[in-house]
Amino acid sequence: MDEPAQPIEPLIAETAIHRDIAVIDVGSNSVRLVHFRVEGRALWPIFNEKVMAGLGRGVRETGRLHAEGRDIALRALKRFQRLLDAKGVRERHVVATAAVRNAVDGRAFVAEAAELTGLDIRILSGEDEARLSAMGVLTGIPDARGVMGDLGGSSLELTPIADGAVSAGKTFELGPQAVLSGDPFDSAAAQAVIDERLAEGGILTGQGGTFYAVGGAWRAMAQLAFARFDHPLHVVHQFELSAAEALELARLATRLSAASLTGVPGLSSRRVTTLPYAALLLRRVIRHGGFGRVVFSAYGVREGVLAEGLPPDLLATDPLIAGAETMARPSSPSPDFGRALAAWIAPAMREVETAFDPARDRVLQEAGARLTDLGARFHPDHRAELARDTVLYAPFAGVTHAERAFLAAALHYRYAGKRSELEPHAEFELLSEVQHNIAQMMGCALRLGAKLSGRAPRLLDRFTLTVTPAEVRLAVDESVRDLYVERSLSLLDNLAGAIGREGRAEYV
């Protein structure tokens, strides 16, 4: 058996007053507002709006911001300011990236925007942008280790990350606006520029490992990958490809016609024109870095800007546990029950095979227990289905696609869902048979604990759940004999059957 995992004691969401924080990113292609609700470590994007301004078009040739794009961007910033005033969001962070940084009239644009809107725009240096994008990736994937690449309209930022820390990064003039000179797309000429600039940068040295892809163009490639590889879970964050798959995808993206690309679900028409270049750049990055896999991140510079202002001890806590606790709290009759239930199931869960690894299994148990009341306000006939799908597609951080499927399966069984009901859903093919069995056991354990205690935390310790090689045993304290009913016995049998054991209850 694995050594008992150390207890996880996260800084829970209830210990922090929620904050509303707005981040506005003035980029080369777009101006975007994201209104975050920060609840402990959970970062919820509750309003997200993008205006395609195209500020960076022509900066390389003229040195100045695109005139029409400038007007569009100013109108967008005024709209965002009015929206935030109406919402009462006072904490605002506004950053501008490569286009404003590189244009000779960038500072004049910032001054005009400040006069028009009162917004204080911070022009990020290339190094700052690289650092903040990498901080954003670590906020969404705390165990990330490799190199982060954030592709915008004008630039590509590359930053090494490992052990929760960011190394010095660099910015490269490798965005499509900085390389492409017009139609038709000249792949050979673009590749020559890419290779020259990447070689001069000195960050990609064939080191291998993982490349973390950030930015809209590469998120569009993830949408193409969902279709190409028939991936069942269409969630970009922490979607991963092997290097071989990513290279195959890049070759496909450079060969498909615009009409074919436009027909790909989830791929916007405005991304079609630059997708072949983004694919070529990804291919060259993989070659120069010798990377073994590509992981897509929905977290980037905006989340990095947000994280920069949060306490380090808060950021050190687990985002999945915090997100699960925050999501389920409005439905829970007792805020402490999920944490108590996690501690109650932990000894039994340690005695079965690992689903992922001991540390990740414990995080998933903590998160699953906090989600145990997620379906309390759902219609009883549809709780299993709704809880399952909510977990599959929730904007959680720090969770892989297989782990999402594991948690979703556990919640399905927590609400008495049947195994046969999951068979038509390809998302659960991401799990091995062992992982699925353990998810079923965990879901049944959550259901049993909730049933026995009536979701009252102080009653849980009157029951003890243990697992031996032959059986799952429930010890019932004599003082609560009247709380144990026949229905509990069938729940115990379901739990034991999921891992091939017999269920047995005894009074102590």
Side-chain angles (χ1 to χ4, degrees):
M1 295 296 173
D2 297 306
E3 290 297 318
Q6 293 300 310
I8 295 174
E9 297 180 356
L11 182 60
I12 59 171
E14 284 86 354
T15 65
I17 299 172
H18 81 257
R19 298 162 60 185
D20 285 319
I21 304 175
V23 180
I24 300 174
D25 172 16
V26 183
S28 300
N29 287 322
S30 65
V31 181
R32 185 190 290 269
L33 161 67
V34 183
H35 170 193
F36 293 94
R37 177 150 292 166
V38 181
E39 299 180 88
R41 177 60 170 81
L43 314 180
W44 299 111
I46 61 175
F47 182 82
N48 189 326
E49 183 173 305
K50 175 173 66 176
V51 174
M52 299 303 293
L55 271 176
R57 290 200 306 270
V59 169
R60 184 181 62 164
E61 293 79 17
T62 68
R64 303 182 69 83
L65 297 171
H66 190 269
E68 182 183 359
R70 195 177 192 279
D71 291 339
I72 294 171
L74 287 171
R75 290 199 301 271
L77 289 170
K78 184 61 180 177
R79 169 176 164 77
F80 293 165
Q81 172 250 311
R82 293 289 300 275
L83 289 175
L84 294 175
D85 286 350
K87 289 167 171 279
V89 180
R90 303 302 174 197
E91 191 169 351
R92 306 169 186 184
H93 303 274
V94 190
V95 296
T97 54
V100 176
R101 176 170 70 237
N102 295 334
V104 295
D105 58 343
R107 293 192 178 278
F109 168 81
V110 166
E112 185 175 351
E115 184 177 356
L116 178 67
T117 67
L119 295 171
D120 181 15
I121 301 179
R122 171 186 174 192
I123 302 177
L124 298 178
S125 69
E127 292 73 18
D128 282 342
E129 189 176 355
R131 175 179 59 83
L132 289 171
S133 293
M135 284 180 62
V137 170
L138 286 172
T139 302
I141 313 174
D143 60 352
R145 171 182 289 271
V147 175
M148 181 284 313
D150 185 352
L151 176 60
S154 297
S155 64
L156 168 69
E157 281 68 48
L158 294 175
T159 311
I161 48 179
D163 301 322
V166 174
S167 298
K170 290 187 178 181
T171 187
F172 299 78
E173 291 187 359
L174 284 174
Q177 293 174 1
V179 175
L180 301 183
S181 55
D183 293 328
F185 173 51
D186 187 338
S187 176
Q191 180 171 321
V193 173
I194 291 168
D195 287 345
E196 179 183 0
R197 293 179 184 172
L198 288 179
E200 289 174 351
I203 285 184
L204 302 183
T205 58
Q207 63 265 52
T210 302
F211 179 70
Y212 295 89
V214 177
W218 281 339
R219 288 196 299 272
M221 286 196 65
Q223 297 292 342
L224 180 61
F226 294 153
R228 171 64 183 87
F229 299 114
D230 197 25
H231 187 72
L233 185 56
H234 292 192
V235 174
V236 170
H237 190 60
Q238 290 189 246
F239 170 58
E240 66 177 73
L241 296 172
S242 68
E245 290 171 330
L247 291 171
E248 177 189 336
L249 185 73
R251 286 191 292 270
L252 177 67
T254 57
R255 293 171 183 169
L256 287 176
S257 67
S260 297
L261 289 171
T262 301
V264 175
L267 184 57
S268 67
S269 58
R270 63 178 174 268
R271 290 292 181 193
V272 166
T273 56
T274 57
L275 192 63
Y277 173 75
L280 172 64
L281 179 58
L282 181 61
R283 192 170 76 206
R284 300 316 299 163
V285 165
I286 292 171
R287 294 296 191 196
H288 281 260
F291 297 111
R293 67 174 187 150
V294 174
V295 174
F296 295 87
S297 173
Y299 284 54
V301 69
R302 288 177 293 275
E303 289 75 17
V305 169
L306 184 64
E308 191 178 35
L310 296 178
D313 59 345
L314 186 68
L315 290 171
T317 61
D318 188 87
L320 176 59
I321 297 172
E325 187 167 273
T326 304
M327 174 173 279
R329 189 193 321 133
S331 302
S332 179
S334 170
D336 295 334
F337 182 64
R339 279 168 274 140
L341 188 57
W344 188 75
I345 68 171
M349 299 302 299
R350 282 200 295 265
E351 298 304 317
V352 298
E353 293 181 78
T354 55
F356 296 91
D357 65 59
R360 289 308 299 167
D361 284 6
R362 185 62 190 272
V363 168
L364 292 169
Q365 291 162 29
E366 293 279 345
R370 282 158 171 77
L371 290 167
T372 198
D373 283 326
L374 181 65
R377 298 188 184 186
F378 297 159
H379 191 286
D381 293 344
H382 303 285
R383 279 179 182 150
E385 175 186 354
L386 292 172
R388 177 191 75 212
D389 289 349
T390 297
V391 172
L392 276 176
Y393 296 101
F396 290 139
V399 59
T400 68
H401 280 204
E403 291 169 350
R404 280 180 180 273
F406 180 91
L407 275 179
L411 266 289
H412 174 82
Y413 292 115
R414 182 264 177 268
Y415 285 108
K418 307 299 183 187
R419 192 158 185 143
S420 60
E421 294 169 345
L422 296 185
E423 291 174 359
H425 298 276
E427 295 91 341
F428 299 98
E429 294 174 9
L430 296 169
L431 299 176
S432 69
E433 184 67 16
V434 168
Q435 289 170 332
H436 197 139
N437 290 344
I438 296 171
Q440 184 174 357
M441 174 199 172
M442 186 172 106
C444 291
L446 297 176
R447 184 170 176 79
L448 178 63
K451 177 68 175 178
L452 291 169
S453 65
R455 294 182 290 186
R458 66 188 187 89
L459 293 178
L460 269 175
D461 62 2
R462 306 296 179 89
F463 304 91
T464 304
L465 191 66
T466 57
V467 174
T468 72
E471 63 185 15
V472 177
R473 184 180 305 144
L474 178 69
V476 182
D477 191 287
E478 283 284 357
S479 65
V480 291
R481 176 186 281 266
D482 52 340
L483 291 179
Y484 185 72
V485 296
E486 290 302 316
R487 178 63 179 141
S488 305
L489 183 59
S490 65
L491 295 178
L492 178 63
D493 288 340
N494 290 342
L495 189 166
I499 53 172
R501 267 85 159 175
E502 296 292 328
R504 182 165 71 88
E506 60 183 6
Y507 295 98
V508 295

